[in-house]
Amino acid sequence: MAVGQVTFPVMHQVDGIELGTACAGIKQTQRDDLLLIQMREGSTCAAVFTQNAFCAAPVVVAKEHLQQAPRWLLINSGNANAGTGKRGLDDALSTCADLAELAGADARQVLPFSTGVIGEPLAVDKIKAALPKAFANLAEDHWEQAARAIMTTDTFPKGASFTLEIGGETITLTGISKGAGMIQPNMATMLSFIATDAKIERELLQACLARATELSFNRITVDGDTSTNDACVLMASGCSKVPELTEGSPAYQVFADAVLKICKQLSEAIVRDGEGATKLMRIVINQALDDEEAVRVAKTIAHSPLVKTAFFASDPNWGRILAAVGRAGVDNMDLERVDIHLGDVCIVRGGGRAEDYTEAAGQRVMNEPEITVTVTLGRGSASQEVLTCDFSYDYVRINAEYRT
Amino acid sequence: MAVGQVTFPVMHQVDGIELGTACAGIKQTQRDDLLLIQMREGSTCAAVFTQNAFCAAPVVVAKEHLQQAPRWLLINSGNANAGTGKRGLDDALSTCADLAELAGADARQVLPFSTGVIGEPLAVDKIKAALPKAFANLAEDHWEQAARAIMTTDTFPKGASFTLEIGGETITLTGISKGAGMIQPNMATMLSFIATDAKIERELLQACLARATELSFNRITVDGDTSTNDACVLMASGCSKVPELTEGSPAYQVFADAVLKICKQLSEAIVRDGEGATKLMRIVINQALDDEEAVRVAKTIAHSPLVKTAFFASDPNWGRILAAVGRAGVDNMDLERVDIHLGDVCIVRGGGRAEDYTEAAGQRVMNEPEITVTVTLGRGSASQEVLTCDFSYDYVRINAEYRT
């Protein structure tokens, strides 16, 4: 049940980046669940990982291998290889070694990623058996198959792709993501793989990705949980004719904004596919003292089960929003400066119900599938936005019945 | 839908404390919704209030009047008088004045409390009209009527009562509470009124109540929201023959433990009546570095929608519990020292599934209506406990349909 119309976009190929899928039969036997991504030699690669203290085994290995010059990403769905102890680490390393042998490379050039059930041993034999097929399947035009291979509880494949023109030459950005709870510890969870043909050195690519994920993937939430497996990878093949991007240059700034744009598109797709979601809520906080305060208030609203169930019911229940603002831990909050808008309708002015507010006007906004809640704090000039979705019967059903 | 068998206990009268109820017809016309509590002259009174930055009007007034020597509590259900601005303050003060006139006292001797819908003006005329009846109804044996008069979405009245013997004489403690979401901003929410005949000066009574609520009402959660109206009041009439309780004395310690006990009973009743609750979960954290850390980890588990829906499904999904521990913000957490028990069954040992764990054993515990989850962190010697309930279809239904 996705919010809004979701169509898989045209995916521009990225020179130097090939993708191959295969069915390893890890959890289901009817669909591809293994994805291999190959970067041409000389590519650079950046990645950000979950902040959960209990990283899954593949995250531990990928973080370490990122320091070498990775050439391959090896991703499986159906099993997260999380909560699997030392055996999990050995298993992740062994799949890297299997691929390295096939490719005639070093196991440290492979970054492993896993998504699926926690606490079950990884079916390394099944993965090893399917690897040759994925390797043989490598091609630059397999983005949609790739997006499908990494799905778990996702109801649709998630992709984004566009090109930039810089000085008459083109840079392409194409990426996929998966996830249908911001993070579901059990379906350990959010993964995104983005490729570009830009030429850019690793440290700068990493800085660019860190900023973009902070303002996109870290600004979405379905249920407030943080997975053991989350990762976002940005690969740059360097095949574009645009000269190498250097720090502070106008071309770099254009590129960095494009990376943010694709991260926002891919993260928004996850919220639209939020488990049981019927509405997309954009929580905008204006006039906060600083960004941290704005994000904190936005997330307190976005995580409130009471706010989320009210939105599911299309109920313009401003008392719940106001109470969430009040418990966000903001010092010296002045209720009389707080305004709240639902869409373009002012519902709270100066901390109380706006005099010109009518239930009909509020109801009209709440009946939309996408709703912007704007809270003005009257404390400063910082603004931030967080995306979330509502809380429905289906959220409970999906998460109550997941293992059965 | 309450968890466990809930019977209203025998309520011991407290000398010097009288209760009177009446129907003001604030939201419903079929039941008493107004409660008046009168303390004999010379009583002391302590109270703790919500930490929400947006206190409801009655909370603002009650905090101020607490500094005088209050003789009356005036409580209404059906309307929270929250988000009502200056008019709300005037309304709260005017009900105090109405009662003071009736009692021949000063308005500042009245503490007002309101619970119910946010953002609607208080029906002061209806309250004024019903006050004489509540006043005429004052009696020491009206505790059950009082417990019923303060209910909102509660499915049963909540009371606790017992006596202590100190040096051959008796002290009585009797109290009531209401609330069926830890806090529902809209049904603004948790209230508790406890009376004793102990003789104890105000500051000491306040210290005693502060400690007790920290370890009871502040250790329960239904949905993690914090209301604008929460309050807990402890009244001491001084009528007991036990000599005045003084700080540090053995008698004071016995009394303080009894106050904690009654607060625990009254707060546990709220969780048992948690909206849509089908299970009571006791989250125990052992071997934490300090109490703050233990409470933080316990609350992260208790607030996780993924953990709560798994418990609703009776699913021993330890991956979700482990992932919640991992995102609780504990520095240098060592996964290999973490054990998790469900009831008496060890499900995680050293960060991975216990080798002797069986699904049958886990399922046996999960089928119980009351489940203790014990997480051992292996970091220190602090232990804390938090009570919560599961997340069911009915939670969504109750909160989605509340205003309709």
Side-chain angles (χ1 to χ4, degrees), chain A residues 90-137:
Chain A
D90 291 343
D91 287 347
L93 287 167
S94 108
T95 59
C96 294
D98 291 338
L99 172 56
E101 196 182 332
L102 204 60
D106 189 308
R108 286 171 299 178
Q109 292 181 285
V110 182
L111 307 186
F113 300 89
S114 297
T115 177
V117 180
I118 281 184
E120 308 282 341
L122 190 64
V124 285
D125 292 342
K126 290 182 180 175
I127 292 174
K128 182 174 186 173
L131 266 177
K133 190 176 167 207
F135 198 77
N137 183 248

Side-chain angles (χ1 to χ4, degrees), chain A residues 379-397:
Chain A
R379 294 165 56 82
S381 58
S383 284
Q384 285 290 328
E385 181 180 314
V386 163
L387 286 188
T388 189
C389 56
D390 61 340
F391 230 13
S392 69
Y393 294 114
D394 273 353
Y395 177 86
V396 177
R397 183 184 57 73

